[in-house]
Amino acid sequence: MAEPLLIGILGGMGPLATLDLWQKIIAGTPARRDQDHVPLVVWNVPQIPDRQAALAGRGESPLPALLRAIQQLNALGVSHIALPCNTAHHWYPQLAAASRAPLLHIADLTARHLAAVAPLPARVGLIATEGTLAAGWYQQRLSALGITPLLPERQEMDNQFVPGCYAVKRGELRLGGELLHQLAGALVARGAQRLILACTEVPPALQAVASPLQAIAIDPTHILAQACIDLWLDKRR
Amino acid sequence: MAEPLLIGILGGMGPLATLDLWQKIIAGTPARRDQDHVPLVVWNVPQIPDRQAALAGRGESPLPALLRAIQQLNALGVSHIALPCNTAHHWYPQLAAASRAPLLHIADLTARHLAAVAPLPARVGLIATEGTLAAGWYQQRLSALGITPLLPERQEMDNQFVPGCYAVKRGELRLGGELLHQLAGALVARGAQRLILACTEVPPALQAVASPLQAIAIDPTHILAQACIDLWLDKRR
């Protein structure tokens, strides 16, 4: 492949989660100098209609704004696109169809990573938005591996997940971290051996409160970062 | 002005310094939700020839790569461009001439910020690359305010600044921080009352070692971040 590698990041959902992906790409890249780092362009225009609200039927669709971002990244000649927002994968088919550059799929990458874990856990907790849970990407992939997915209960979504996630979007990382750590603990108490942090706001929040449950967490943002790094390292070889 | 605001960040020199600028923009933006955050695009293609080597006559010019980045950001319709690399301001005139979108000038912004400090310090230490020091931007602006600039000595550049700066580019933030903290301490010992961290690798390094000298530091990256935030807040008003 003669085309130069240039990763496009379709970000802004929210900005902190996008920053978290990029930070993980930088931290994970073996580099002796600037020029060894992954070439990338970050499209971070957060004025995209709220994904959770749209999927709940309470707001306009983010699809036109997402398609515009896909078009802009392709116009720059990106070779691949990463989407550091699980919920936005609801529109993955339309975005992939509109993009010359292939779109990485965060749940596919996570399932492939999980399949390589030995021994496989029997029960995995999922921390994700209503939209991601309703889409069922993670549950299907876990079930295919013979793993039982454990989901948050209604009141945990209302009292911990949603306020925790929106606190991160406001920059209140500690508050968000405390709420999301409580939710993670409840899933563990119900038998989860590992936790998938399937909303990109969750990893920086758990980090902000130094949650010990990070030790059993599977972080799709980290897996997405590693996929970007691997593409670059393959190219440099 | 009807044009939408979209900040272009011409980054990658190095990636960690660019990330630091963006992190400061996010942290400094009053936001209740994603949509309140500054819309921006980060062009982070670190395969730009080394600026310090080029200015020392030991490597190719980064100007063609920088001009290509300016062209790409303009093609995306950015309204302003920020350049989180002091040394790259050597090519500011050519870049500004090639750009429809105005380029913020990190030293101008820093001088304007400093002029508002009361009482003005008598002596300010400068931590910067050879190229930035030779260009004299900061010295001229400090002298115009009646402030005496204090520069690192030859051996401090060779033994602390240069290895400290390149350690950051390799991701060795603690090593970089220890070396740059030593240099900062030497400038204070020679009478500096404040320090200008006029190389964008320096602030994240001093932060990584929790240097107490951060308390007297003036951080041009932070000032550049605030200028981006102010443009966005003015637009939203």
Side-chain angles (χ1 to χ4, degrees):
Chain A
M1 181 167 120
E3 193 191 15
L5 184 118
L6 179 61
I7 305 282
I9 298 181
L10 200 178
M13 303 171 282
L16 249 169
T18 310
L19 187 86
D20 186 47
L21 171 65
W22 189 19
Q23 191 276 324
K24 283 167 178 161
I25 293 175
I26 295 177
T29 306
R32 290 169 300 112
R33 48 187 197 133
D34 287 350
Q35 291 77 11
D36 295 336
H37 282 278
V38 182
L40 53 85
V41 184
V42 186
W43 179 265
N44 180 83
V45 177
Q47 289 68 43
I48 301 176
D50 186 294
R51 286 69 55 196
Q52 296 184 54
L55 290 177
R58 289 184 285 98
E60 62 175 314
S61 170
L63 184 58
L66 290 169
L67 284 171
R68 177 160 172 266
I70 288 283
Q71 182 211 322
Q72 295 279 46
L73 288 170
N74 275 285
L76 285 175
V78 299
S79 58
H80 302 78
I81 295 179
L83 184 56
C85 171
N86 288 270
T87 311
H89 282 66
H90 178 83
W91 295 275
Y92 181 94
Q94 295 97 313
L95 301 180
S99 182
R100 189 190 47 74
L103 256 70
L104 306 178
H105 194 298
I106 197 166
D108 278 344
L109 292 167
T110 302
R112 213 172 303 156
H113 174 91
L114 196 55
V117 170
L120 278 178
R123 291 172 304 283
V124 168
L126 268 178
I127 302 180
T129 63
E130 200 75 56
T132 297
L133 294 175
W137 307 305
Y138 284 98
Q139 296 95 309
Q140 289 153 14
R141 287 162 175 83
L142 288 172
S143 298
L145 292 168
I147 298 169
T148 303
L150 295 181
L151 312 189
E153 292 173 356
R154 176 75 267 152
Q155 66 181 35
E156 290 166 344
M157 290 299 285
D158 292 344
N159 299 336
Q160 289 156 358
F161 179 79
V162 173
C165 176
Y166 283 92
V168 176
K169 292 178 181 296
R170 288 194 308 274
E172 295 181 29
L173 274 173
R174 284 200 59 83
L175 172 62
E178 283 162 17
L179 290 166
L180 294 164
H181 170 75
Q182 281 173 25
L183 171 55
L187 289 164
V188 169
R190 290 208 292 282
Q193 295 155 310
R194 303 290 302 266
L195 297 167
I196 299 184
L197 312 182
C199 168
T200 53
E201 313 287 5
V202 179
L206 292 187
Q207 191 183 17
V209 296
S211 165
L213 296 176
Q214 292 177 99
I216 57 159
I218 294 159
D219 174 2
T221 303
H222 188 270
I223 293 166
L224 184 59
Q226 192 57 53
C228 294
I229 296 167
D230 289 344
L231 285 167
W232 171 236
L233 295 181
D234 283 350
K235 189 79 190 178
R236 268 168 61 189
R237 229 164 256 139
Chain B
M1 182 165 120
E3 194 191 13
L5 185 118
L6 179 62
I7 304 284
I9 298 182
L10 200 178
M13 302 173 283
L16 248 169
T18 309
L19 187 85
D20 185 48
L21 172 65
W22 189 19
Q23 191 276 325
K24 284 168 178 159
I25 292 174
I26 294 176
T29 305
R32 288 168 300 114
R33 49 187 196 134
D34 288 350
Q35 292 77 9
D36 294 337
H37 282 279
V38 182
L40 52 85
V41 184
V42 186
W43 178 264
N44 180 80
V45 178
Q47 289 69 40
I48 301 176
D50 186 294
R51 287 67 56 197
Q52 296 184 55
L55 291 176
R58 290 184 285 99
E60 62 175 314
S61 169
L63 184 57
L66 290 169
L67 284 171
R68 178 161 170 266
I70 288 282
Q71 183 211 319
Q72 295 280 49
L73 287 170
N74 275 285
L76 286 175
V78 299
S79 58
H80 303 78
I81 294 179
L83 184 57
C85 172
N86 287 268
T87 310
H89 281 66
H90 178 83
W91 295 275
Y92 182 93
Q94 294 97 312
L95 301 179
S99 182
R100 189 189 47 73
L103 256 71
L104 306 179
H105 193 298
I106 198 168
D108 277 344
L109 292 168
T110 302
R112 213 172 302 156
H113 173 91
L114 196 57
V117 171
L120 278 177
R123 291 171 304 281
V124 167
L126 268 177
I127 302 182
T129 64
E130 201 75 56
T132 297
L133 295 175
W137 307 304
Y138 284 99
Q139 298 94 310
Q140 289 154 16
R141 287 164 174 83
L142 289 172
S143 298
L145 293 169
I147 297 169
T148 302
L150 295 181
L151 311 189
E153 291 173 356
R154 176 75 268 151
Q155 66 180 34
E156 289 166 346
M157 289 300 284
D158 293 343
N159 299 338
Q160 289 156 358
F161 179 79
V162 174
C165 176
Y166 282 93
V168 176
K169 291 178 181 298
R170 287 194 308 275
E172 295 182 28
L173 274 175
R174 284 200 58 85
L175 171 62
E178 283 162 17
L179 290 165
L180 293 164
H181 171 74
Q182 282 172 24
L183 171 55
L187 288 165
V188 169
R190 290 208 293 283
Q193 296 157 309
R194 303 290 302 267
L195 298 166
I196 298 184
L197 313 183
C199 168
T200 53
E201 312 287 7
V202 179
L206 293 187
Q207 190 183 16
V209 295
S211 166
L213 296 176
Q214 291 178 100
I216 57 158
I218 294 157
D219 174 3
T221 303
H222 188 270
I223 293 165
L224 183 58
Q226 192 57 54
C228 295
I229 296 166
D230 289 344
L231 285 167
W232 171 237
L233 295 181
D234 282 352
K235 190 80 188 179
R236 267 168 63 191
R237 229 164 255 139

